[in-house]
Amino acid sequence: MYDEKNSSTNATIQCRFNVALFLRYSGTLVVILGFIGNILSIVVFSRKALRSRSCSIYFLALSMSDINVLIGYTFENLLYHGYNIQVLSNSFMCKSIIFLIYASTDISNYLLTLAAMDRCILISNSTIRYRFCRKLTAKLMIICVIILFSLINSHFLFGFHIDNDGFCLPASKNYNFFYVNHYDSYIDIIKTVLIPFIIIFICNIFIIFKYTRRNTLISSTSIRRKNRRRREKDRQLTWFLLSTSLLFIFLSLPSEINDFVRTHLSQKFQTIYACQLWASTTLFILIHQINHASHFYVYTLTGPIFRKEFQKLICLFQKQTSKRNLFHSLKKQSLTIHYTQHNDIDDRRLSSPFQQTNLNSLERLSFQLDV
Protein backbone atom coordinates (compact mmCIF):
# COMPACT_ATOMS: atom_id res chain seq x y z
CA MET A 1 0.00 0.00 0.00
CA TYR A 2 2.70 2.49 0.94
CA ASP A 3 5.05 2.25 -2.03
CA GLU A 4 2.14 2.61 -4.46
CA LYS A 5 0.56 5.74 -3.06
CA ASN A 6 0.48 7.58 -6.38
CA SER A 7 -0.92 4.71 -8.41
CA SER A 8 -3.49 3.98 -5.71
CA THR A 9 -4.70 7.54 -5.65
CA ASN A 10 -4.87 7.75 -9.44
CA ALA A 11 -6.59 4.39 -9.63
CA THR A 12 -9.26 5.67 -7.27
CA ILE A 13 -9.88 8.64 -9.57
CA GLN A 14 -9.79 6.67 -12.86
CA CYS A 15 -12.09 3.87 -11.71
CA ARG A 16 -15.58 3.70 -13.17
CA PHE A 17 -16.86 2.93 -9.68
CA ASN A 18 -16.05 5.32 -6.87
CA VAL A 19 -13.94 3.42 -4.33
CA ALA A 20 -13.66 6.46 -2.06
CA LEU A 21 -17.44 6.85 -1.88
CA PHE A 22 -17.88 3.15 -1.11
CA LEU A 23 -15.25 3.35 1.60
CA ARG A 24 -16.74 6.53 3.07
CA TYR A 25 -20.17 5.02 3.69
CA SER A 26 -19.43 1.35 4.33
CA GLY A 27 -16.21 1.99 6.26
CA THR A 28 -17.83 4.62 8.46
CA LEU A 29 -20.73 2.28 9.22
CA VAL A 30 -18.37 -0.56 10.16
CA VAL A 31 -16.29 1.70 12.42
CA ILE A 32 -19.31 3.21 14.22
CA LEU A 33 -20.96 -0.17 14.80
CA GLY A 34 -17.60 -1.59 15.85
CA PHE A 35 -16.96 1.11 18.45
CA ILE A 36 -20.48 0.75 19.89
CA GLY A 37 -20.32 -3.05 19.94
CA ASN A 38 -16.87 -3.29 21.53
CA ILE A 39 -17.73 -0.73 24.23
CA LEU A 40 -20.90 -2.68 25.06
CA SER A 41 -18.87 -5.92 25.14
CA ILE A 42 -16.46 -4.34 27.62
CA VAL A 43 -19.35 -3.30 29.86
CA VAL A 44 -21.08 -6.70 29.70
CA PHE A 45 -17.94 -8.79 30.27
CA SER A 46 -17.09 -6.52 33.23
CA ARG A 47 -20.25 -7.61 35.06
CA LYS A 48 -19.90 -9.90 38.05
CA ALA A 49 -21.62 -12.89 36.45
CA LEU A 50 -19.07 -13.09 33.60
CA ARG A 51 -15.83 -11.56 34.85
CA SER A 52 -15.26 -14.49 37.24
CA ARG A 53 -14.28 -16.70 34.28
CA SER A 54 -10.78 -16.59 32.84
CA CYS A 55 -12.16 -16.82 29.31
CA SER A 56 -14.25 -13.70 29.94
CA ILE A 57 -11.05 -11.83 30.84
CA TYR A 58 -9.64 -12.73 27.41
CA PHE A 59 -12.85 -11.58 25.70
CA LEU A 60 -12.75 -8.35 27.70
CA ALA A 61 -9.16 -7.65 26.62
CA LEU A 62 -10.06 -8.69 23.05
CA SER A 63 -12.75 -6.00 22.90
CA MET A 64 -10.26 -3.37 24.07
CA SER A 65 -7.70 -4.48 21.49
CA ASP A 66 -10.35 -4.46 18.72
CA ILE A 67 -11.06 -0.81 19.52
CA ASN A 68 -7.36 -0.05 18.93
CA VAL A 69 -7.51 -1.88 15.58
CA LEU A 70 -10.50 0.22 14.51
CA ILE A 71 -8.76 3.42 15.63
CA GLY A 72 -5.71 2.56 13.52
CA TYR A 73 -7.89 1.70 10.51
CA THR A 74 -9.81 4.98 10.86
CA PHE A 75 -6.69 7.14 10.95
CA GLU A 76 -4.66 5.28 8.33
CA ASN A 77 -7.26 4.22 5.78
CA LEU A 78 -10.78 5.57 6.26
CA LEU A 79 -10.00 9.26 6.80
CA TYR A 80 -7.40 9.46 4.02
CA HIS A 81 -8.95 7.33 1.27
CA GLY A 82 -12.60 7.93 2.23
CA TYR A 83 -12.62 11.60 3.29
CA ASN A 84 -9.29 12.83 1.83
CA ILE A 85 -8.07 13.82 5.32
CA GLN A 86 -4.36 13.22 5.86
CA VAL A 87 -3.75 12.48 9.54
CA LEU A 88 -0.39 10.73 9.15
CA SER A 89 1.28 13.98 8.14
CA ASN A 90 3.76 14.21 11.02
CA SER A 91 6.41 11.78 12.15
CA PHE A 92 4.79 10.85 15.46
CA MET A 93 1.39 10.01 13.96
CA CYS A 94 3.01 8.12 11.08
CA LYS A 95 5.08 5.86 13.32
CA SER A 96 2.51 5.38 16.10
CA ILE A 97 -0.50 4.62 13.89
CA ILE A 98 1.36 2.07 11.72
CA PHE A 99 2.68 0.47 14.90
CA LEU A 100 -0.83 0.48 16.44
CA ILE A 101 -2.36 -1.23 13.40
CA TYR A 102 0.05 -4.15 13.33
CA ALA A 103 0.53 -4.56 17.09
CA SER A 104 -3.17 -4.40 17.99
CA THR A 105 -4.07 -6.82 15.19
CA ASP A 106 -1.51 -9.34 16.47
CA ILE A 107 -2.66 -8.84 20.06
CA SER A 108 -6.32 -9.40 19.12
CA ASN A 109 -5.56 -12.59 17.22
CA TYR A 110 -3.43 -14.06 19.99
CA LEU A 111 -5.93 -13.10 22.70
CA LEU A 112 -8.44 -15.16 20.75
CA THR A 113 -5.83 -17.93 20.60
CA LEU A 114 -5.35 -17.77 24.37
CA ALA A 115 -9.13 -18.00 24.83
CA ALA A 116 -9.16 -21.12 22.65
CA MET A 117 -6.34 -22.65 24.69
CA ASP A 118 -8.16 -21.73 27.91
CA ARG A 119 -11.34 -23.51 26.82
CA CYS A 120 -9.37 -26.48 25.52
CA ILE A 121 -7.47 -26.93 28.78
CA LEU A 122 -10.60 -26.37 30.88
CA ILE A 123 -12.57 -29.26 29.41
CA SER A 124 -9.58 -31.59 29.46
CA ASN A 125 -8.88 -33.88 32.38
CA SER A 126 -5.42 -32.45 32.94
CA THR A 127 -4.59 -30.95 36.34
CA ILE A 128 -3.01 -27.96 34.62
CA ARG A 129 -6.49 -26.44 34.25
CA TYR A 130 -6.48 -25.49 37.94
CA ARG A 131 -3.40 -23.32 37.36
CA PHE A 132 -4.01 -22.06 33.82
CA CYS A 133 -7.77 -21.37 33.82
CA ARG A 134 -7.68 -18.65 36.48
CA LYS A 135 -8.26 -14.91 36.41
CA LEU A 136 -4.73 -14.14 37.61
CA THR A 137 -3.17 -16.38 34.97
CA ALA A 138 -5.35 -14.79 32.28
CA LYS A 139 -4.23 -11.29 33.30
CA LEU A 140 -0.56 -12.33 33.28
CA MET A 141 -0.90 -13.96 29.86
CA ILE A 142 -2.58 -10.83 28.47
CA ILE A 143 0.28 -8.66 29.75
CA CYS A 144 2.83 -11.04 28.21
CA VAL A 145 1.07 -10.97 24.82
CA ILE A 146 0.91 -7.15 24.83
CA ILE A 147 4.61 -6.81 25.70
CA LEU A 148 5.72 -9.52 23.24
CA PHE A 149 3.92 -8.19 20.17
CA SER A 150 4.71 -4.60 21.03
CA LEU A 151 8.39 -5.56 20.91
CA ILE A 152 7.99 -7.61 17.72
CA ASN A 153 6.31 -4.69 15.92
CA SER A 154 8.54 -2.00 17.42
CA HIS A 155 10.54 -1.77 14.17
CA PHE A 156 7.70 0.35 12.74
CA LEU A 157 8.59 3.08 15.23
CA PHE A 158 11.91 3.71 13.45
CA GLY A 159 11.26 2.06 10.06
CA PHE A 160 8.70 4.61 8.83
CA HIS A 161 9.02 8.36 8.31
CA ILE A 162 7.44 11.32 6.49
CA ASP A 163 8.95 11.93 3.03
CA ASN A 164 9.27 15.26 1.23
CA ASP A 165 5.74 14.97 -0.20
CA GLY A 166 4.23 14.41 3.26
CA PHE A 167 3.49 10.68 2.86
CA CYS A 168 4.10 8.04 5.53
CA LEU A 169 6.58 5.64 3.90
CA PRO A 170 9.44 3.28 4.80
CA ALA A 171 12.51 5.28 5.81
CA SER A 172 15.04 3.51 3.56
CA LYS A 173 15.18 1.33 0.44
CA ASN A 174 16.46 -1.64 2.42
CA TYR A 175 13.64 -1.38 4.93
CA ASN A 176 11.15 -0.89 2.11
CA PHE A 177 12.38 -4.10 0.45
CA PHE A 178 12.19 -5.96 3.78
CA TYR A 179 8.71 -4.61 4.53
CA VAL A 180 7.15 -5.26 1.09
CA ASN A 181 8.83 -8.53 0.09
CA HIS A 182 9.25 -10.21 3.48
CA TYR A 183 7.38 -8.76 6.43
CA ASP A 184 4.05 -7.85 4.81
CA SER A 185 3.98 -10.94 2.61
CA TYR A 186 5.51 -13.88 4.49
CA ILE A 187 6.21 -12.94 8.10
CA ASP A 188 2.93 -11.17 8.76
CA ILE A 189 0.84 -13.98 7.27
CA ILE A 190 2.63 -16.65 9.29
CA LYS A 191 2.75 -14.62 12.51
CA THR A 192 -0.65 -12.94 12.41
CA VAL A 193 -2.90 -15.50 10.70
CA LEU A 194 -1.32 -18.91 10.14
CA ILE A 195 -0.05 -19.68 13.66
CA PRO A 196 -3.25 -18.48 15.43
CA PHE A 197 -5.34 -20.30 12.82
CA ILE A 198 -3.59 -23.63 13.41
CA ILE A 199 -3.80 -23.36 17.21
CA ILE A 200 -7.44 -22.24 17.18
CA PHE A 201 -8.39 -24.94 14.67
CA ILE A 202 -6.80 -27.72 16.75
CA CYS A 203 -8.37 -26.41 19.96
CA ASN A 204 -11.80 -26.13 18.36
CA ILE A 205 -11.68 -29.67 17.01
CA PHE A 206 -10.69 -30.92 20.46
CA ILE A 207 -13.43 -28.87 22.15
CA ILE A 208 -16.14 -30.11 19.79
CA PHE A 209 -15.02 -33.71 20.26
CA LYS A 210 -14.94 -33.43 24.06
CA TYR A 211 -18.32 -31.70 24.27
CA THR A 212 -20.10 -34.22 22.04
CA ARG A 213 -18.62 -37.02 24.13
CA ARG A 214 -19.38 -35.28 27.43
CA ASN A 215 -23.02 -34.64 26.53
CA THR A 216 -23.64 -38.37 26.07
CA LEU A 217 -22.14 -39.06 29.51
CA ILE A 218 -23.88 -36.18 31.30
CA SER A 219 -27.31 -37.04 29.91
CA SER A 220 -27.39 -40.28 31.91
CA THR A 221 -26.33 -38.72 35.24
CA SER A 222 -27.88 -36.12 37.53
CA ILE A 223 -25.96 -32.90 38.16
CA ARG A 224 -26.42 -30.43 40.92
CA ARG A 225 -28.06 -27.14 40.08
CA LYS A 226 -24.95 -25.08 40.89
CA ASN A 227 -22.70 -27.32 38.78
CA ARG A 228 -25.25 -27.23 35.97
CA ARG A 229 -25.16 -23.41 35.95
CA ARG A 230 -21.38 -23.39 35.97
CA ARG A 231 -21.23 -25.88 33.11
CA GLU A 232 -23.80 -23.87 31.17
CA LYS A 233 -21.68 -20.70 31.49
CA ASP A 234 -18.59 -22.60 30.35
CA ARG A 235 -20.50 -24.13 27.45
CA GLN A 236 -21.80 -20.78 26.23
CA LEU A 237 -18.36 -19.16 26.57
CA THR A 238 -17.06 -22.01 24.44
CA TRP A 239 -19.69 -21.26 21.78
CA PHE A 240 -18.55 -17.62 21.91
CA LEU A 241 -15.08 -18.86 21.15
CA LEU A 242 -16.15 -21.16 18.30
CA SER A 243 -18.21 -18.50 16.55
CA THR A 244 -15.52 -15.83 17.01
CA SER A 245 -12.86 -18.23 15.73
CA LEU A 246 -14.83 -19.00 12.58
CA LEU A 247 -15.32 -15.27 12.07
CA PHE A 248 -11.57 -14.71 12.42
CA ILE A 249 -10.72 -17.42 9.91
CA PHE A 250 -13.16 -16.34 7.19
CA LEU A 251 -12.69 -12.57 7.52
CA SER A 252 -8.93 -12.29 8.14
CA LEU A 253 -7.55 -14.66 5.53
CA PRO A 254 -8.69 -12.77 2.37
CA SER A 255 -6.75 -9.61 3.30
CA GLU A 256 -3.56 -11.51 4.11
CA ILE A 257 -3.79 -13.63 0.96
CA ASN A 258 -4.30 -10.45 -1.07
CA ASP A 259 -1.13 -8.93 0.43
CA PHE A 260 0.80 -12.08 -0.43
CA VAL A 261 -0.50 -12.27 -4.02
CA ARG A 262 0.11 -8.58 -4.79
CA THR A 263 3.81 -8.84 -3.95
CA HIS A 264 4.20 -11.55 -6.62
CA LEU A 265 2.39 -9.74 -9.42
CA SER A 266 4.41 -8.11 -12.16
CA GLN A 267 4.66 -4.35 -12.37
CA LYS A 268 2.98 -4.40 -15.81
CA PHE A 269 0.01 -6.38 -14.48
CA GLN A 270 -0.35 -4.03 -11.50
CA THR A 271 -0.30 -1.01 -13.83
CA ILE A 272 -2.94 -2.41 -16.20
CA TYR A 273 -5.28 -3.59 -13.44
CA ALA A 274 -4.45 -0.89 -10.90
CA CYS A 275 -8.08 0.11 -10.44
CA GLN A 276 -9.29 -3.45 -9.84
CA LEU A 277 -6.41 -4.24 -7.50
CA TRP A 278 -7.00 -1.09 -5.46
CA ALA A 279 -10.74 -1.78 -5.23
CA SER A 280 -10.18 -5.39 -4.14
CA THR A 281 -7.57 -4.33 -1.60
CA THR A 282 -9.95 -1.75 -0.12
CA LEU A 283 -12.72 -4.35 0.06
CA PHE A 284 -10.50 -7.00 1.71
CA ILE A 285 -9.20 -4.52 4.28
CA LEU A 286 -12.79 -3.56 5.11
CA ILE A 287 -13.75 -7.24 5.47
CA HIS A 288 -10.80 -7.66 7.82
CA GLN A 289 -12.10 -4.77 9.96
CA ILE A 290 -15.54 -6.39 10.14
CA ASN A 291 -13.84 -9.20 12.07
CA HIS A 292 -12.84 -6.71 14.78
CA ALA A 293 -16.16 -4.83 14.69
CA SER A 294 -18.71 -7.64 14.87
CA HIS A 295 -17.80 -9.63 18.00
CA PHE A 296 -20.50 -8.03 20.18
CA TYR A 297 -23.20 -8.92 17.65
CA VAL A 298 -21.93 -12.49 17.38
CA TYR A 299 -21.97 -12.82 21.19
CA THR A 300 -25.52 -11.47 21.29
CA LEU A 301 -26.74 -13.89 18.62
CA THR A 302 -24.99 -17.02 19.92
CA GLY A 303 -24.98 -16.59 23.70
CA PRO A 304 -28.14 -16.58 25.87
CA ILE A 305 -26.05 -15.73 28.95
CA PHE A 306 -24.55 -12.72 27.15
CA ARG A 307 -28.02 -11.55 26.08
CA LYS A 308 -29.27 -12.03 29.65
CA GLU A 309 -26.48 -9.89 31.12
CA PHE A 310 -26.99 -7.29 28.41
CA GLN A 311 -30.72 -7.14 29.20
CA LYS A 312 -29.92 -6.76 32.91
CA LEU A 313 -27.61 -3.90 32.04
CA ILE A 314 -30.35 -2.17 30.04
CA CYS A 315 -32.91 -2.77 32.82
CA LEU A 316 -30.48 -1.41 35.40
CA PHE A 317 -29.94 1.71 33.31
CA GLN A 318 -33.70 2.14 32.90
CA LYS A 319 -34.27 1.71 36.65
CA GLN A 320 -31.59 4.24 37.51
CA THR A 321 -33.04 6.67 34.97
CA SER A 322 -36.58 6.22 36.32
CA LYS A 323 -35.38 6.63 39.90
CA ARG A 324 -33.50 9.76 38.95
CA ASN A 325 -36.54 11.18 37.16
CA LEU A 326 -38.81 10.24 40.10
CA PHE A 327 -36.43 11.91 42.55
CA HIS A 328 -36.33 15.11 40.51
CA SER A 329 -40.12 15.15 40.08
CA LEU A 330 -40.72 14.60 43.82
CA LYS A 331 -38.17 17.24 44.68
CA LYS A 332 -39.79 19.67 42.27
CA GLN A 333 -43.24 18.81 43.62
CA SER A 334 -42.16 19.30 47.25
CA LEU A 335 -40.61 22.65 46.41
CA THR A 336 -43.81 23.69 44.65
CA ILE A 337 -45.98 22.63 47.61
CA HIS A 338 -43.69 24.37 50.09
CA TYR A 339 -43.74 27.53 48.03
CA THR A 340 -47.54 27.38 47.71
CA GLN A 341 -48.04 26.83 51.45
CA HIS A 342 -45.69 29.67 52.25
CA ASN A 343 -47.61 32.02 49.96
CA ASP A 344 -50.95 30.91 51.46
CA ILE A 345 -49.75 31.69 54.99
CA ASP A 346 -48.43 35.07 53.90
CA ASP A 347 -51.71 35.81 52.15
CA ARG A 348 -53.70 34.92 55.23
CA ARG A 349 -51.51 37.14 57.36
CA LEU A 350 -51.89 40.03 54.93
CA SER A 351 -55.62 39.59 54.29
CA SER A 352 -56.87 38.97 57.87
CA PRO A 353 -54.67 40.61 60.54
CA PHE A 354 -57.56 40.77 63.00
CA GLN A 355 -58.14 37.01 62.69
CA GLN A 356 -54.48 36.41 63.33
CA THR A 357 -54.58 38.67 66.45
CA ASN A 358 -57.65 36.88 67.79
CA LEU A 359 -56.01 33.53 67.16
CA ASN A 360 -52.93 34.55 69.12
CA SER A 361 -55.00 35.82 72.01
CA LEU A 362 -56.98 32.59 72.14
CA GLU A 363 -53.75 30.61 72.24
CA ARG A 364 -52.46 32.70 75.17
CA LEU A 365 -55.76 32.26 77.00
CA SER A 366 -55.73 28.52 76.58
CA PHE A 367 -52.17 28.39 77.83
CA GLN A 368 -53.10 30.34 80.99
CA LEU A 369 -56.08 28.06 81.67
CA ASP A 370 -53.85 25.02 81.39
CA VAL A 371 -51.41 26.49 83.88
Side-chain angles (χ1 to χ4, degrees):
M1 289 178 60
Y2 301 99
D3 61 334
E4 298 174 1
K5 61 180 186 300
N6 295 326
S7 63
S8 299
T9 306
N10 293 332
T12 308
I13 297 172
Q14 294 170 3
C15 283
R16 294 180 180 177
F17 43 90
N18 196 330
V19 178
L21 189 64
F22 165 77
L23 186 63
R24 184 181 306 167
Y25 289 106
S26 58
T28 303
L29 180 64
V30 169
V31 168
I32 292 174
L33 293 178
F35 276 122
I36 295 173
N38 284 311
I39 291 171
L40 291 175
S41 295
I42 292 171
V43 176
V44 174
F45 280 119
S46 299
R47 292 179 61 81
K48 185 177 180 180
L50 290 177
R51 68 171 182 259
S52 59
R53 295 279 181 263
S54 56
C55 192
S56 296
I57 304 297
Y58 291 122
F59 285 130
L60 177 63
L62 176 63
S63 300
M64 296 179 182
S65 183
D66 286 340
I67 289 177
N68 291 328
V69 176
L70 293 174
I71 290 173
Y73 168 75
T74 302
F75 283 133
E76 191 271 338
N77 201 314
L78 179 61
L79 290 179
Y80 180 61
H81 297 292
Y83 294 91
N84 199 22
I85 299 174
Q86 176 62 284
V87 181
L88 278 65
S89 56
N90 62 75
S91 181
F92 174 77
M93 289 296 294
C94 170
K95 296 174 183 291
S96 59
I97 294 300
I98 300 300
F99 167 78
L100 181 66
I101 292 171
Y102 282 89
S104 57
T105 302
D106 288 344
I107 290 169
S108 292
N109 293 347
Y110 279 90
L111 287 176
L112 185 61
T113 306
L114 286 176
M117 294 171 61
D118 179 89
R119 293 292 93 186
C120 185
I121 294 173
L122 181 67
I123 66 173
S124 66
N125 296 323
S126 176
T127 56
I128 195 175
R129 61 181 177 177
Y130 299 107
R131 297 190 299 271
F132 188 82
C133 303
R134 297 186 305 166
K135 289 173 60 178
L136 180 60
T137 305
K139 292 177 181 178
L140 291 175
M141 295 298 291
I142 290 169
I143 293 173
C144 291
V145 165
I146 293 173
I147 294 174
L148 176 63
F149 288 99
S150 296
L151 293 174
I152 290 175
N153 292 283
S154 61
H155 59 90
F156 291 111
L157 296 175
F158 58 85
F160 275 73
H161 76 136
I162 300 296
D163 68 353
N164 297 328
D165 297 325
F167 290 99
C168 184
L169 297 171
S172 63
K173 291 183 178 180
N174 292 331
Y175 184 80
N176 180 63
F177 180 82
F178 164 74
Y179 171 75
V180 174
N181 295 286
H182 297 287
Y183 190 86
D184 204 38
S185 57
Y186 295 102
I187 299 175
D188 195 50
I189 292 176
I190 295 172
K191 168 181 62 70
T192 306
V193 177
L194 191 59
I195 294 176
F197 168 76
I198 293 173
I199 297 174
I200 290 171
F201 179 78
I202 294 173
C203 290
N204 287 346
I205 294 297
F206 180 76
I207 289 168
I208 294 171
F209 174 76
K210 291 290 288 187
Y211 261 101
T212 52
R213 186 178 179 185
R214 175 179 287 183
N215 288 334
T216 58
L217 296 174
I218 290 176
S219 60
S220 60
T221 60
S222 61
I223 307 173
R224 292 182 180 179
R225 187 176 181 181
K226 185 176 181 181
N227 291 336
R228 188 164 59 247
R229 286 181 179 177
R230 180 174 59 83
R231 290 180 182 274
E232 181 63 21
K233 285 183 180 180
D234 291 334
R235 186 183 68 83
Q236 291 188 24
L237 286 172
T238 304
W239 280 114
F240 290 169
L241 170 68
L242 293 175
S243 57
T244 310
S245 302
L246 291 174
L247 201 70
F248 158 72
I249 293 168
F250 287 111
L251 298 182
S252 296
L253 278 177
S255 177
E256 298 297 334
I257 294 173
N258 178 68
D259 290 341
F260 176 78
V261 171
R262 286 190 66 179
T263 57
H264 292 81
L265 297 176
S266 65
Q267 190 65 36
K268 181 180 179 180
F269 184 88
Q270 293 190 30
T271 304
I272 295 173
Y273 297 99
C275 177
Q276 290 82 356
L277 290 173
W278 173 238
S280 62
T281 300
T282 304
L283 179 62
F284 290 143
I285 292 175
L286 182 63
I287 291 173
H288 181 77
Q289 299 308 310
I290 294 175
N291 172 46
H292 299 282
S294 58
H295 289 161
F296 167 78
Y297 308 101
V298 174
Y299 301 151
T300 306
L301 290 174
T302 59
I305 186 173
F306 189 88
R307 288 196 299 270
K308 184 179 179 181
E309 293 301 319
F310 182 56
Q311 290 172 356
K312 286 182 180 179
L313 184 67
I314 295 175
C315 293
L316 180 63
F317 177 76
Q318 291 176 347
K319 286 181 180 179
Q320 290 178 351
T321 305
S322 61
K323 286 181 180 179
R324 195 180 299 111
N325 293 334
L326 180 62
F327 173 76
H328 287 304
S329 62
L330 290 174
K331 185 177 179 181
K332 186 176 180 180
Q333 185 178 0
S334 63
L335 289 173
T336 305
I337 294 172
H338 178 73
Y339 180 75
T340 305
Q341 290 177 349
H342 182 73
N343 288 340
D344 291 340
I345 293 171
D346 290 341
D347 291 339
R348 287 201 304 270
R349 286 177 180 176
L350 292 171
S351 62
S352 56
F354 296 105
Q355 292 179 0
Q356 185 67 30
T357 304
N358 293 333
L359 183 61
N360 292 334
S361 62
L362 288 173
E363 288 178 353
R364 286 197 300 270
L365 181 62
S366 63
F367 176 76
Q368 290 174 359
L369 290 174
D370 290 334
V371 173

